[in-house]
Amino acid sequence: MGEVFEVPIGPIHPALKEPIRLTFRVRGERIVGVEIRAGFAHRGIEFMGMRQGRNLIQVLYLAERICGICSVSHPIALTQAVERAAGIEVPPRAQYIRVIISELERIHSHLLWAGVAAHELGFDTLLHLTWRVREKVLDILEELTGNRINYAIPIFGGVRRDIAPEQYPKVWEALRYYRGLLEQLLDAFLNDPTVMARTRGVGVLEPKEAEEFCAVGPTARASGLPKDVRQDRPYLAYSDFAVKAITPEDYGLTPIGDVYDKIVVRLLEVGQSLEIIEKALEDMPEGEITSFPKIPALLAHLKKAEGEGLGWHEAPRGELIHYVQLVPGEEAPLVWKVKAPTYSNLLSWRPMFEGQEIADIPIIAACIDPCICCNDRFHIVEGSREKIVAKEELLRLSWEKTRRISGQRGLRDGGKG
């Protein structure tokens, strides 16, 4: 049968953009098992958001920095959670603008992922093509929001910027550009023999496994599970667009959940996003873009709010959830908890890796479009005993490590420096 060896990758490795540890057990070139260990990145964003001295609008910009590629997804989920807790209504026009920016971000994210996938396959010509055409959607996001990344567009009760009449032609021109390009991208990725040889039957996640491991987003849909929060629990204005979860069946394929199917789903979702944006522009309601034109009035309302709220969004990687609890008299939330889609998809790596070859590790790892820093979790297992680290203990350990690394002794208790 051959001897089994361990091949460790990470937490620091040239092939990894973010820290995670994967320990593969291999027999020859074949993977027979894998151990997945996260927890090497803890930025403390939730903790910073719950500290006094930072109001909810400042927390919103923290949320935007959880992930650069999902930099409207987290604010969309957080604003909904706070709005539900504080009883804030969002004008219809603002809901449509949120949808448009969200779908532009989905196009950007999926094109970026397609380029990364091509690179992991060694097909850098396709990487450069994909990233070149991705520039158009970044230009439009900059036109509408002022930024290519971190758009700062949602605000509690609406959005910060309207779409001006003179901006509509530029958006329509970009939509036509991608309409004409989509068939070229589908052909380049789905009919190329090299891509097919490296992705067909590679990293298979069977439908039953996708359900058991609680996969979300394109990872689940590629296995044939029609899961999409925009369809299953419509929010914002998504109920006006009759969003349908895309699976490989929409391309005439029987889903097997391999890397190829994940490419199919993401490219088809680019076309779906174009349709949603087109309809949103055509049916855009008139009216206000926020319930609180003045920021002091918004902050005063939030400070008096009491209750808890849940916000969700179908981010490019899948279902994203924010939970908040507000108490009267406090500017910061008492509780803020984030569950990013990578947290749900991470364990689905295990069945994807098993039985594959070492050379397939990069593309299988990339196929769930992981954002490791979005996990931001801490867990300890000592032998057979599990240990939960409370906030105070985690803070103490963090401060001690900072002192040890920096050699400084001036940090006061409370971490205020």
Side-chain angles (χ1 to χ4, degrees), residues 263-281:
I263 297 174
V264 170
V265 167
R266 287 187 173 93
L267 290 182
L268 292 185
E269 286 186 1
V270 170
Q272 182 185 53
S273 292
L274 294 174
E275 293 176 359
I276 293 172
I277 296 168
E278 289 168 356
K279 193 171 191 310
L281 290 173

Side-chain angles (χ1 to χ4, degrees), residues 191-235:
N191 296 328
D192 184 271
T194 302
V195 174
M196 294 187 71
R198 291 295 312 279
T199 60
R200 219 49 176 128
V202 173
V204 173
L205 182 68
E206 296 179 356
K208 183 179 179 182
E209 294 171 332
E211 194 163 11
E212 289 176 346
F213 284 95
C214 301
V216 298
T219 302
R221 293 192 285 273
S223 298
L225 300 186
K227 295 172 62 175
D228 191 314
V229 183
R230 298 170 297 171
Q231 164 196 277
D232 301 331
R233 196 169 185 181
Y235 56 98

Side-chain angles (χ1 to χ4, degrees), residues 93-129:
R93 186 175 181 87
Q95 293 187 32
Y96 269 64
I97 292 172
R98 287 184 184 183
V99 166
I100 289 170
I101 302 300
S102 297
E103 296 307 315
L104 287 170
E105 182 177 77
R106 193 180 315 279
I107 294 171
H108 156 227
S109 179
H110 284 350
L111 290 177
L112 183 147
W113 176 87
V116 170
H119 173 69
E120 300 295 1
L121 295 172
F123 200 163
D124 279 358
T125 302
L126 195 50
L127 157 68
H128 293 305
L129 168 66

Side-chain angles (χ1 to χ4, degrees), residues 237-259:
Y238 278 112
S239 58
D240 294 348
F241 306 111
V243 178
K244 174 184 174 294
I246 287 180
T247 68
E249 292 174 312
D250 294 293
Y251 196 67
L253 301 173
T254 300
I256 62 174
D258 58 7
V259 177

Side-chain angles (χ1 to χ4, degrees), residues 24 31 34 36 201-206 209-210 213 215-216 218-220 222-223 256-259 262 266 344-357 360-361 363-369:
F24 294 94
I31 300 168
V34 59
I36 303 165
V202 173
V204 173
L205 182 68
E206 296 179 356
E209 294 171 332
F213 284 95
V216 298
T219 302
S223 298
I256 62 174
D258 58 7
V259 177
K262 293 174 178 63
R266 287 187 173 93
S344 300
N345 284 331
L346 211 57
L347 286 181
S348 63
W349 264 343
R350 182 168 291 169
M352 291 186 201
F353 279 124
E354 291 178 354
Q356 303 299 312
E357 295 186 358
D360 295 324
I361 290 174
I363 187 59
I364 295 174
C367 76
I368 69 168
D369 195 7

Side-chain angles (χ1 to χ4, degrees), residues 136-148:
K136 176 69 75 172
V137 70
L138 290 174
D139 289 343
I140 292 302
L141 284 165
E142 184 178 16
E143 169 70 27
L144 297 180
T145 70
N147 295 312
R148 287 161 58 91

